[in-house]
Amino acid sequence: MGLPQRQPGPSVLLLLVGALVWPPSCMSLELIPYTPQITAWDLEGKVTATTFSLEQPRCVLDGHASVANTIWLVVAFSNASRDFQNPQTRAEIPAFPRLLTDGHYMTLPLSLDQLPCEDPKGGSRDVPLLRVGSDPGCLADLHQPPYCNSPLPSPGPYRVKFLLMDARGSPLAETRWSDPIALHQGKAPASIDTWPGRRSGDMIIITSILCSLAGLLLLAFLAASTARFSSLWWPEEAPEQLRIGSFMGKRYMTHHIPPSEAPTLPVGCEPGLDPLPSLSP
């Protein structure tokens, strides 16, 4: 007579049911102790109105990823990051338009060989960073993949994390969420004060000097234009020889012919002299 078969307790049944019913996206992944952050390199424009630059997670995923795995960047609004569910297939990866509807999307897929541990050899030209929102034309280009890196539509704030996925699109590991990242926001046109009463004294003096110089340049231009075109408005004064009451004629040589010599007359026939008496009978 054998021992009676032991029935599973309620706790074991709950574990079995939970393993079958509980969705895989809710199961805990391997958490990599790394927090994404803005790059520490001394660069201008690390955070703009539509982009921000992250440091690359170099030497962070080497012990967790293989050559066939893909490292994705998850971008979400700060208040929507807690509701993000890791996709289980490549078809479930959210593209950029999901940011406006669901508050999150995934972009910048990288392989492990794109994140080397060595420092860049090209100096500041090869700064190891990831610029989020740096492709303004990717949504309009039909040949671009759907996971484009389009400029961010609002100041945020945003949170990001790195998600490691295998070739089928199943998640393997993830990093922590970053601290909130707020983009730079310009002033609204209605908030700009244009009343000159609140301007500083130096600005008023500079403005007055510039206005005076502009007026002097305008007067100089008018004076130069008047002197240049005065001959068109008033005729020149007539020369003294043509004035009325003081007409003076000039002698002109109509032909350049030398004067001919006077004919030689016989002796005694000069004009104005009496002819000589004749000696003939």
Side-chain angles (χ1 to χ4, degrees):
M1 185 173 178
L3 295 175
Q5 187 177 4
R6 186 176 180 181
Q7 299 294 330
S11 59
V12 178
L13 292 176
L14 289 176
L15 290 176
L16 293 175
V17 173
L20 296 175
V21 177
W22 195 260
S25 61
C26 297
M27 298 176 64
S28 61
L29 299 177
E30 181 182 1
L31 182 62
I32 301 174
Y34 173 77
T35 303
Q37 61 183 358
I38 298 295
T39 178
W41 287 75
D42 187 12
L43 301 173
E44 294 184 0
K46 293 190 292 186
V47 178
T48 66
T50 57
T51 65
F52 59 87
S53 300
L54 299 171
E55 68 175 10
Q56 293 183 359
R58 299 184 301 162
C59 302
V60 174
L61 304 171
D62 287 3
H64 309 272
S66 63
V67 179
N69 299 147
T70 305
I71 304 165
W72 289 84
L73 179 68
V74 182
V75 184
F77 286 115
S78 181
N79 56 358
S81 60
R82 70 181 75 181
D83 299 328
F84 176 77
Q85 299 293 332
N86 294 322
Q88 301 302 306
T89 62
R90 295 186 64 89
E92 297 178 4
I93 297 177
F96 180 81
R98 294 275 297 275
L99 177 66
L100 302 178
T101 57
D102 300 338
H104 56 260
Y105 73 104
M106 293 172 60
T107 185
L108 294 177
L110 300 172
S111 59
L112 192 61
D113 57 353
Q114 293 177 290
L115 301 172
C117 293
E118 295 80 9
D119 293 331
K121 299 179 180 180
S124 59
R125 295 176 299 176
D126 299 328
V127 175
L129 55 83
L130 298 175
R131 185 177 293 274
V132 181
S134 61
D135 192 357
C138 67
L139 290 179
D141 191 356
L142 299 178
H143 300 287
Q144 284 279 355
Y147 314 109
C148 66
N149 188 22
S150 185
L152 299 172
S154 66
Y158 300 91
R159 290 179 183 268
V160 297
K161 74 173 181 179
F162 291 101
L163 180 62
L164 180 63
M165 305 180 72
D166 60 15
R168 297 176 300 174
S170 300
L172 301 176
E174 63 181 354
T175 65
R176 301 189 186 101
W177 286 100
S178 68
D179 295 331
I181 301 173
L183 304 184
H184 292 169
Q185 186 176 9
K187 292 185 177 180
S191 64
I192 300 176
D193 182 18
T194 58
W195 184 50
R198 290 192 175 92
R199 300 295 181 266
S200 62
D202 295 338
M203 186 178 295
I204 294 175
I205 294 175
I206 294 174
T207 304
S208 301
I209 294 175
L210 292 177
C211 293
S212 301
L213 291 177
L216 292 176
L217 290 176
L218 180 60
L219 291 177
F221 174 76
L222 292 177
S225 300
T226 302
R228 174 67 180 81
F229 298 102
S230 60
S231 59
L232 301 177
W233 298 340
W234 299 290
E236 296 182 358
E237 187 178 1
E240 184 178 358
Q241 292 83 351
L242 299 179
R243 292 179 184 176
I244 300 176
S246 62
F247 179 80
M248 180 182 296
K250 288 186 178 181
R251 182 179 180 182
Y252 294 94
M253 296 293 293
T254 57
H255 300 284
H256 298 282
I257 302 176
S260 60
E261 296 181 358
T264 303
L265 298 177
V267 179
C269 295
E270 288 85 356
L273 298 178
D274 294 332
L276 294 176
S278 176
L279 297 179
S280 63

